[in-house]
């Protein structure tokens, strides 16, 4: 293709046929959607319970909290950063809420608010440190991962003398807060957890934000080329800090769902989950290098996770197979993403 | 004489102990091209980064339309009508042409969402007004050629009402033909009344479009010429360090005598 000085012709002969395919291939969630369909069909055929309402309620629930985190992590990854503290953060927020309300007698709603402020503070600190030091977020958030892990165990042991906090059921405000975060609702006589609704809502808001707003445009831009974005006036620092805070917010949401559903929390919970979030986001089409990906894709990535994890249980297989499945999914996703990126980025002179 | 869009007097900048720029003076007028020439490490990028608000000067005076100024961010420079197109940083490759075009100035609907239809239409129109004919503004910018990317960035600056357009080595990575195309758009921006700062180390790219030349070497001004004061042979000779060689020969002869 060349640049010419004449006005564009009405119908451009250079618009060749493969364009539709090109467009489709550029949609990052296509691969994940196909994968999800495959997994769904496979376990529907291979097991009895998978395709039942009870089955769906189980695997959707499994996918929901993972999905909320995966979507937030996907936004952050599109913005060019990682957050290794995201998994531990789901425990930290639950612990703050639980300790405040069970040990100090604070109303659950107030405890949730304080816990939210704590989460947003840690998120902002993560973002600010990454931007201020210029260090890779991998290292900075590895630091906050370790720090939070230490705090979770240390403070819990100090306050309760054990490594868990329980007794949420007897706290003031538990009923009403539980209704919002941990209740179930019936669909055709089957109870579904409300976390699924949170997941769908969170995904929808993130997806609209990402492709439909200025801020979403900035997320792609700061992840794709931070300096170019800055040069045209995009507030890079603010965008990235808000993304870290969004991840922290999601961790608070998931922490709240967990503590109100299980009414107790282990101080060592959440460790290792951060990689599941990243894996789900990558399966959903996010590039590890930033600047490309999809919120919907990450939600589908989490759905694949949930379906496979529960499907393997229904099939009575050993859960070891789940790890193998994950590995294969991840590798194929990374390979597909790589091809997509090269298509989009290939330089023609 | 009208007030220049940009005027620097004896401007200087150090990075720690590295003196990247010192005592450099130049002007940029509306409808004219000021060309900054120099070898690698001469301080060309440092100079324009000061003009563009990426860095701040440590010495001298920097005036925009007669007003002493010190930008704290590229956004501030943009708000003063100074737009910069960096060689490698002109665009975000994975984003579509129209999203790149509007990056940082996205058109929104009444509800606050990005107005994609308008975004696409305006981009197409603005590009074709500049004589740039793209088949599809929805394709990622990464699929464009190097020259086309520079053109999109130039068209963007022109469209958003820049008064000064700064181009950092827009032709450095391009073939002869593509470089010619980019220079044509530079001339077009100039003819639309923008003041242009063009950075290059190729005198053959600079000479046809420029009104004045600023030669930099090791952070200092080697010379500053209006177009009628210098021809392309002399410009090339100076760029190649000819004057310095002569001075050296002169000194050697003086020492011998
Ligand atoms: N951010 C920086 N920190 C330290 N030194 C720098 C920085 N940027 C440029 N320099 C130095 O300043 C001098 C001028 O560089 P630059 O303006 O990039 O030159 P040019 O664009 O003409 O090739 C070089 O010696 C370079 O090493
Ligand atoms: Mg340079």
């Amino acid at each position: 293709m060349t640049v010419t000085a004449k006005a564009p012709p009405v119908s451009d002969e250079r618009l060749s046929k493969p364009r539709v395919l090109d467009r489709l291939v550029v949609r990052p969630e296509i691969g994940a959607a196909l994968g999800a369909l495959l997994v769904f069909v496979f376990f529907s055929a291979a097991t009895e319970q998978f395709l039942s309402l009870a089955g769906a309620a189980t695997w959707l629930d499994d996918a929901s909290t993972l999905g909320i985190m995966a979507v937030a992590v996907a936004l952050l990854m599109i913005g060019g950063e990682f957050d290794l503290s995201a998994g531990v953060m789901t425990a930290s927020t639950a612990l703050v809420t639980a300790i405040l309300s069970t040990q100090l007698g604070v109303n659950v709603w107030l405890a949730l608010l304080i816990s939210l402020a704590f989460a947003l503070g840690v998120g902002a600190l993560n973002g600010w440190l990454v931007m201020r030091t210029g260090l890779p977020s991998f290292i900075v958030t590895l630091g906050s991962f370790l720090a939070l892990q230490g705090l979770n165990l240390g403070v819990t042991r100090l306050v309760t003398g054990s490594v868990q906090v329980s007794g949420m059921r007897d706290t003031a405000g538990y009923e009403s807060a539980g209704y919002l975060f941990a209740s179930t609702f019936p669909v055709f006589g089957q109870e579904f957890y409300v976390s699924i609704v949170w997941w769908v809502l969170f995904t929808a808001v993130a997806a609209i934000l990402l492709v439909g707003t200025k801020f979403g445009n900035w997320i792609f831009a700061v992840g794709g080329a931070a300096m170019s974005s800055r040069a045209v006036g995009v507030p890079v620092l603010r965008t990235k800090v808000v993304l870290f805070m969004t991840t922290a917010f999601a961790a608070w949401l998931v922490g709240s769902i967990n503590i109100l559903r299980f009414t107790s929390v282990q101080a060592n919970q959440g460790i290792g989950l951060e990689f599941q979030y990243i894996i789900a986001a990558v399966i959903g089409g996010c590039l590890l290098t930033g600047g490309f990906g999809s919120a919907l894709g990450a939600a589908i990535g989490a759905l694949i996770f949930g379906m496979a994890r529960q499907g393997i249980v229904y099939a009575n297989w050993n859960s070891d197979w789940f790890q193998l499945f994950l590995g294969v999914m991840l590798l194929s996703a990374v390979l597909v993403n790589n091809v997509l990126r090269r298509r989009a980025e290939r330089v023609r002179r | 004489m009208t007030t220049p869009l940009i005027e620097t007097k004896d401007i200087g900048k150090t990075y720690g102990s590295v003196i990247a720029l010192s005592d450099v003076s130049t002007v940029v007028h509306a409808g004219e091209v000021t060309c900054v020439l120099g070898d690698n490490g001469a301080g060309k990028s440092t100079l324009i980064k000061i003009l563009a608000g990426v860095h701040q000067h440590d010495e001298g005076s920097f005036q925009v339309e007669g007003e002493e100024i010190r930008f704290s961010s590229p956004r501030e420079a943009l708000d003063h009508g100074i737009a910069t197109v960096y060689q490698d940083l002109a665009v975000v490759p994975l984003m579509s042409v129209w999203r790149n075009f509007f990056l940082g100035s996205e058109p929104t609907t009444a509800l606050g969402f990005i107005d994609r239809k308008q975004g696409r239409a305006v981009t197409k129109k603005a590009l074709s007004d500049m004589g740039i004919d793209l088949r599809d503004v929805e394709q990622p910018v990464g699929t464009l050629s190097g020259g086309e990317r520079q053109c999109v960035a130039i068209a963007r600056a022109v469209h958003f009402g820049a008064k000064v357009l700064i181009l950092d080595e827009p032709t450095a990575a391009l073939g002869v033909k593509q470089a010619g195309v980019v220079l044509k758009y530079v001339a077009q921006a100039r003819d639309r009344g923008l003041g242009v700062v063009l950075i290059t180390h190729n005198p053959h790219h600079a000479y046809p479009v420029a009104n004045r030349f600023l030669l930099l070497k090791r952070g200092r001004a080697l010379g500053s010429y209006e177009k009628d004061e210098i021809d392309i042979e002399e410009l090339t000779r100076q760029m190649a360090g000819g004057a310095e060689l002569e001075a050296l020969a002169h000194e050697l002869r003086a020492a011998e005598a």
Side-chain angles (χ1 to χ4, degrees):
Chain A
M1 175 182 171
T2 56
V3 177
T4 52
K6 61 178 168 23
V10 184
S11 94
D12 199 320
E13 77 287 355
R14 292 166 304 175
L15 288 176
S16 54
K17 303 248 159 42
R19 229 186 91 218
V20 178
L21 194 77
D22 269 350
R23 277 281 173 76
L24 211 63
V25 162
V26 162
R27 292 220 59 87
E29 59 276 270
I30 290 292
L34 286 176
L37 190 68
L38 215 72
V39 173
F40 177 81
V41 170
F42 177 80
F43 284 112
S44 297
T47 71
E48 297 276 301
Q49 300 102 309
F50 190 84
L51 196 53
S52 65
L53 274 173
T58 311
W59 48 260
L60 280 175
D61 176 45
D62 186 353
S64 65
T65 47
L66 173 63
I68 292 169
M69 292 308 295
V71 168
V73 165
L75 296 188
L76 184 67
M77 281 176 69
I78 296 169
E81 306 292 344
F82 292 98
D83 186 354
L84 295 187
S85 69
V88 177
M89 195 66 179
T90 60
S92 300
T93 49
L95 283 167
V96 170
T97 306
I99 288 176
L100 283 175
S101 41
T102 62
Q103 308 295 312
L104 303 178
V106 176
N107 184 290
V108 173
W109 285 101
L110 182 60
L112 283 171
L113 266 184
I114 298 173
S115 165
L116 175 61
F118 162 79
L120 294 178
V122 174
L125 184 69
N126 271 340
W128 185 79
L129 277 176
V130 167
M131 296 309 287
R132 234 5 246 266
T133 59
L135 290 170
S137 48
F138 219 81
I139 296 300
V140 173
T141 58
L142 181 63
S144 38
F145 162 76
L146 293 171
L148 282 177
Q149 195 184 334
L151 270 177
N152 286 359
L153 283 161
V155 172
T156 306
R157 216 189 288 275
L158 213 65
V159 174
T160 66
S162 71
V163 289
Q164 77 161 23
V165 185
S166 47
M168 279 303 285
R169 221 179 290 279
D170 308 321
T171 55
Y174 167 75
E175 286 296 327
S176 52
Y179 181 76
L180 190 63
F181 290 104
S183 57
T184 59
F185 59 96
V187 177
F188 302 120
Q190 170 66 43
E191 294 292 322
F192 284 80
Y193 271 109
V194 76
S195 57
I196 300 167
V197 176
W198 281 110
W199 174 38
V200 171
L201 263 180
F202 194 81
T203 307
V205 170
I208 291 169
L209 183 92
L210 202 52
V211 294
T213 69
K214 265 175 193 263
F215 187 72
N217 215 34
W218 296 348
I219 295 176
F220 282 107
V222 298
M227 285 310 291
S228 311
S229 317
R230 192 166 117 83
V232 293
V234 174
V236 177
L237 183 126
R238 180 156 39 107
T239 305
K240 293 215 180 190
V241 169
V242 169
L243 286 175
F244 276 103
M245 291 172 76
T246 306
T247 311
F249 171 82
W252 169 80
L253 181 56
V254 169
S256 305
I257 288 170
N258 285 342
I259 186 64
L260 288 163
R261 181 180 316 172
F262 303 112
T263 69
S264 73
V265 50
Q266 302 288 329
N268 64 354
Q269 228 165 274
I271 298 169
L273 292 184
E274 57 281 347
F275 286 112
Q276 296 194 1
Y277 309 152
I278 294 174
I279 293 168
V282 170
I283 291 176
C286 282
L287 286 183
L288 289 163
T289 43
F292 193 74
S294 132
L296 185 60
I300 297 175
L303 181 65
I304 294 179
F305 244 92
M307 289 195 300
R309 193 151 47 193
Q310 298 308 320
I312 283 172
V313 172
Y314 290 143
N316 274 324
W317 296 348
N318 191 308
S319 65
D320 298 344
W321 296 110
F322 178 64
Q323 299 294 332
L324 173 68
F325 167 80
L326 259 194
V328 173
M329 276 307 284
L330 182 64
L331 277 177
S332 25
V334 170
L335 288 176
V336 170
N337 292 354
N338 220 16
V339 173
L340 290 188
R341 192 202 26 197
R342 253 187 262 136
R343 281 185 89 97
E345 247 186 358
R346 78 189 150 192
V347 181
R348 303 198 299 109
R349 296 209 192 281
Chain B
M1 185 111 194
T2 52
T3 325
L5 289 173
I6 287 181
E7 181 159 23
T8 70
K9 284 187 194 128
D10 303 328
I11 207 166
K13 165 85 191 165
T14 54
Y15 296 108
S17 62
V18 181
I19 301 170
L21 204 67
S22 85
D23 292 336
V24 172
S25 304
T26 191
V27 292
V28 183
H29 286 287
E32 293 189 3
V33 177
T34 298
C35 203
V36 183
L37 294 124
D39 215 341
N40 288 332
K44 306 182 298 292
S45 297
T46 304
L47 174 63
I48 59 134
K49 277 178 182 160
I50 293 169
L51 306 185
V54 177
H55 293 318
Q56 286 78 42
H57 57 289
D58 308 317
E59 281 164 29
S61 133
F62 168 27
Q63 296 190 340
V64 175
E65 295 181 283
E67 185 194 338
E68 188 68 33
I69 229 157
R70 175 182 291 272
F71 295 132
S72 57
S73 73
R75 181 79 253 176
E76 213 183 318
L78 272 173
D79 293 341
H80 279 79
I82 301 177
T84 311
V85 177
Y86 296 96
Q87 182 194 325
D88 302 318
L89 304 174
V91 290
V92 185
L94 287 169
M95 284 172 79
S96 68
V97 172
W98 75 267
R99 280 181 184 268
N100 260 286
F101 191 89
F102 276 102
L103 184 56
S105 318
E106 292 83 358
T108 48
T109 60
L111 289 171
F113 293 108
I114 288 190
D115 191 341
R116 295 190 220 189
K117 228 169 135 183
Q118 198 203 340
R120 280 192 285 259
V122 171
T123 303
K124 198 135 191 157
K125 170 90 167 54
L127 288 176
S128 78
D129 280 354
M130 290 284 292
I132 305 163
D133 165 26
L134 283 189
R135 48 181 175 172
D136 180 10
V137 291
E138 198 66 72
Q139 66 189 329
V141 163
T143 60
L144 301 184
S145 72
E148 287 170 321
R149 292 190 214 184
Q150 295 286 333
C151 294
V152 169
I154 294 172
R156 170 171 67 191
V158 172
H159 178 79
F160 287 107
K163 287 185 242 170
V164 178
L165 176 62
I166 301 176
L167 300 153
D168 190 4
E169 310 221 18
T171 57
L174 304 182
V176 179
K177 214 172 149 195
Q178 292 272 335
V181 171
V182 170
L183 289 173
K184 201 180 77 195
Y185 295 122
V186 170
Q188 211 165 100
R190 176 197 64 196
D191 296 341
R192 284 177 166 227
L194 278 81
V196 180
V197 182
L198 175 68
I199 291 151
T200 174
H201 53 239
N202 188 337
H204 297 280
H205 288 167
Y207 203 78
V209 291
N211 297 85
R212 93 180 34 76
F213 306 92
L214 170 68
L215 275 86
L216 291 182
K217 186 170 185 105
R218 297 171 145 264
R220 296 183 166 273
L222 194 64
S224 184
Y225 307 94
E226 297 294 311
K227 187 160 191 173
D228 51 20
E229 296 169 355
I230 193 167
D231 58 19
I232 186 154
E233 285 76 27
E234 175 62 15
L235 193 64
T236 314
R237 203 179 63 84
Q238 293 232 354
M239 277 285 300
E244 255 196 354
L245 285 176
E246 267 168 31
L248 184 64
H250 189 76
E251 267 174 40
L252 287 173
R253 266 198 304 277
E256 272 167 25

